[in-house]
Amino acid sequence: MSLVADQISPAVIDSMHQVLTPEGKVVGQLPDIPDEQLMQFYRWMVFGRISSQRFVALQRQGRIGTFSPIDGQEAASVGMAAPLQQKDWLLGSYREYLAYHVKGVPFPAQVKQWGGDIPDDYPAESRCVPFQIVLGTQVLHTVGIAQAIKYEGEPQVAVVGCGDGATSEGDFNEALNFAGVFKAPVVFMVQNNGWAISTPRHKQSAARYIADRAIGFGMPGCLVDGNDVLAVYQVVADAVARARAGDGPTLIEAITYRLGAHTTADDPTKYRPEAEVEEWEKRDPIIRYRQFLMDRSMLTEKEDKVLHEELNTEFEEAIAVYEALPPRTPQQHFDLVFAEQSPQLQRQQAKLLEALETEPDSGVNHDSSLMPL
Ligand SMILES: Cc1ncc(C[n+]2csc(CCOP(=O)(O)OP(=O)(O)O)c2C)c(N)n1
Ligand SMILES: [Mg+2]
């Protein structure tokens, strides 16, 4: 079985929730969403594509650190965040930065994180925490937040995104087990993009679908076309409603594909065939949604061009804000870690500052391209 078939066989297509075909034809129930919001989904997805491609260029110019492109995964990111209310929580990994944008994290704050800086200015009201790089960790954090919501008797929900590879981490499994037992108001959203760097999905788990694993944790599992923004929106909205009503967690698997490299430090031609990428380019989430909007007379070629120009400008403005920031001092790298510094951190900070007095370049590495991912 080829890898393409492995990820998107006729059986998968039959099993997953879909509203739009790759050609943009409506084959499922359209969610009840006003036209203005339907257009907003498109804006967010196009911003995702523009930002992803321009971030790669910025990394090549040495202007940001290691970056993980999201080309091909825009629908899953937008669909996971769009159904949330302001006071709901959203946590994710590096691959969910577009979802954070939708949830209300100002873009310059995220650019800062891609620059290798400490993201200390996510507004509290965005209810996102800086995206996680240690795989699966955010899944535990989210269940903790969901339990806190439950103890406080608040009407909120917590949603967490992670990759197919992260589902093999102990953290993921502990988090789902705990959430199932305690009926935490949480939605687990796995972006199955076929690969965990060079490890294909079928080596990650022998389960037919990642969503099938939900039954073992005592929660419903749902398979959705992750390249169909309307389908993702609907399944997440339903799962959020379940959690808000006190009916507990849901595991969603969004079948999608990473069209680009894992990160700017990766060369995917070393481990995956070009034919697989070409197959997935035909399933591009933006092309199908654009066709859907055009068929409904909601978008013309000319309007699309203007929208791309506007979003390019928006991106450039965010970069300008980021690049105008003064560089961090070595002192701040310690001060911004915890609200109250631990004695160990205090000792390390004092040691570094002392060393810097005698030898200004010692121990300080400003090369954010060395950031691990
Ligand atoms: C605990 C941990 N182990 C290993 C890594 C190195 N690493 C970074 S990304 C990645 C692959 C993740 O794959 P997946 O969960 O499918 O997410 P994707 O990158 O495909 O979105 C690995 C192994 C890490 N960041 N954290
Ligand atoms: Mg993956």
Side-chain angles (χ1 to χ4, degrees), residues 210-340:
I210 292 169
D212 282 348
R213 296 175 58 196
I215 193 167
F217 296 109
M219 64 182 78
C222 169
L223 197 63
V224 64
D225 185 338
N227 286 9
D228 177 351
V229 68
L230 298 178
V232 178
Y233 173 90
Q234 190 62 65
V235 298
V236 175
D238 291 348
V240 163
R242 272 193 79 240
R244 218 186 292 286
D247 294 332
T250 305
L251 171 62
I252 297 170
E253 174 183 3
I255 305 279
T256 182
Y257 193 78
R258 155 166 70 72
L259 290 172
H262 169 69
T263 63
T264 44
D266 173 50
D267 175 6
T269 62
K270 294 263 189 289
Y271 56 81
R272 66 180 192 186
E274 189 52 33
E276 178 177 298
V277 183
E278 283 164 14
E279 205 52 45
W280 276 93
E281 276 166 354
K282 295 181 201 152
R283 307 184 62 83
D284 189 312
I286 297 183
I287 292 176
R288 83 174 69 174
Y289 195 59
R290 182 175 185 267
Q291 191 59 48
F292 163 75
L293 294 176
M294 287 186 166
D295 290 347
R296 284 171 69 98
S297 306
M298 289 174 62
L299 183 72
T300 62
E301 295 279 353
K302 204 171 152 201
E303 286 163 350
D304 196 29
K305 198 165 167 273
V306 172
L307 183 132
H308 276 73
E309 281 161 12
E310 283 170 9
L311 295 174
N312 267 297
T313 306
E314 192 180 318
F315 181 82
E316 280 157 19
E317 283 170 0
I319 298 300
V321 170
Y322 160 70
E323 292 191 327
L325 292 171
R328 294 283 197 204
T329 63
Q331 169 112 18
Q332 281 174 309
H333 285 291
F334 292 85
D335 291 343
L336 294 171
V337 179
F338 296 117
E340 280 173 39

Side-chain angles (χ1 to χ4, degrees), residues 73 93-95 133-135 162-167 169 191 193 195-197 204 258 262 373:
Q73 297 187 228
S93 77
Y94 45 89
R95 203 82 67 193
I133 291 177
V134 183
L135 299 178
C162 72
D164 44 297
T167 65
E169 289 290 335
Q191 288 207 55
N193 62 5
W195 294 90
I197 314 184
Q204 212 60 250
R258 155 166 70 72
H262 169 69
L373 202 66

Side-chain angles (χ1 to χ4, degrees), residues 27-319:
V27 288
Q29 175 79 39
L30 281 177
D32 187 15
I33 299 175
D35 282 2
E36 203 179 302
Q37 204 186 348
L38 289 174
M39 266 314 293
Q40 183 59 54
F41 287 4
Y42 185 66
R43 278 188 82 89
W44 281 326
M45 286 204 288
V46 173
F47 186 70
R49 183 67 54 96
I50 288 174
S51 63
S52 180
Q53 295 185 344
R54 296 197 62 173
F55 270 140
V56 171
L58 288 175
Q59 190 278 338
R60 298 291 186 245
Q61 294 163 22
R63 290 163 70 187
I64 60 163
T66 307
F67 172 72
S68 55
I70 57 158
D71 305 45
Q73 297 187 228
E74 298 87 350
S77 295
V78 170
M80 106 172 60
L84 297 183
Q85 295 173 5
Q86 165 103 53
K87 286 195 162 176
D88 292 330
W89 286 82
L90 176 68
L91 277 73
S93 77
Y94 45 89
R95 203 82 67 193
E96 272 88 33
Y97 83 83
L98 178 61
Y100 276 31
H101 175 64
V102 172
K103 184 69 177 57
V105 176
F107 206 64
Q110 296 210 59
V111 182
K112 215 164 151 183
Q113 204 173 346
W114 288 121
D117 203 341
I118 294 175
D120 57 331
D121 49 6
Y122 275 37
E125 62 274 12
S126 71
R127 299 221 160 172
C128 290
V129 301
F131 58 71
Q132 183 58 258
I133 291 177
V134 183
L135 299 178
T137 309
Q138 76 276 17
V139 191
L140 279 174
H141 296 165
T142 311
V143 174
I145 289 171
Q147 277 300 90
I149 290 171
K150 198 171 167 180
Y151 284 132
E152 296 291 331
E154 302 283 351
Q156 279 97 47
V157 170
V159 174
V160 59
C162 72
D164 44 297
T167 65
S168 300
E169 289 290 335
D171 284 4
F172 177 87
N173 293 278
E174 290 155 20
L176 268 78
N177 191 47
F178 196 93
V181 170
F182 293 101
K183 278 191 144 191
V186 54
V187 178
F188 302 101
M189 170 67 166
V190 177
Q191 288 207 55
N192 172 5
N193 62 5
W195 294 90
I197 314 184
S198 56
T199 304
R201 151 66 184 94
H202 68 85
K203 286 201 179 153
Q204 212 60 250
S205 162
R208 184 184 52 159
Y209 302 126
I210 292 169
D212 282 348
R213 296 175 58 196
I215 193 167
F217 296 109
M219 64 182 78
C222 169
L223 197 63
V224 64
D225 185 338
N227 286 9
D228 177 351
V229 68
L230 298 178
V232 178
Y233 173 90
Q234 190 62 65
V235 298
V236 175
D238 291 348
V240 163
R242 272 193 79 240
R244 218 186 292 286
D247 294 332
T250 305
L251 171 62
I252 297 170
E253 174 183 3
I255 305 279
T256 182
Y257 193 78
R258 155 166 70 72
L259 290 172
H262 169 69
T263 63
T264 44
D266 173 50
D267 175 6
T269 62
K270 294 263 189 289
Y271 56 81
R272 66 180 192 186
E274 189 52 33
E276 178 177 298
V277 183
E278 283 164 14
E279 205 52 45
W280 276 93
E281 276 166 354
K282 295 181 201 152
R283 307 184 62 83
D284 189 312
I286 297 183
I287 292 176
R288 83 174 69 174
Y289 195 59
R290 182 175 185 267
Q291 191 59 48
F292 163 75
L293 294 176
M294 287 186 166
D295 290 347
R296 284 171 69 98
S297 306
M298 289 174 62
L299 183 72
T300 62
E301 295 279 353
K302 204 171 152 201
E303 286 163 350
D304 196 29
K305 198 165 167 273
V306 172
L307 183 132
H308 276 73
E309 281 161 12
E310 283 170 9
L311 295 174
N312 267 297
T313 306
E314 192 180 318
F315 181 82
E316 280 157 19
E317 283 170 0
I319 298 300

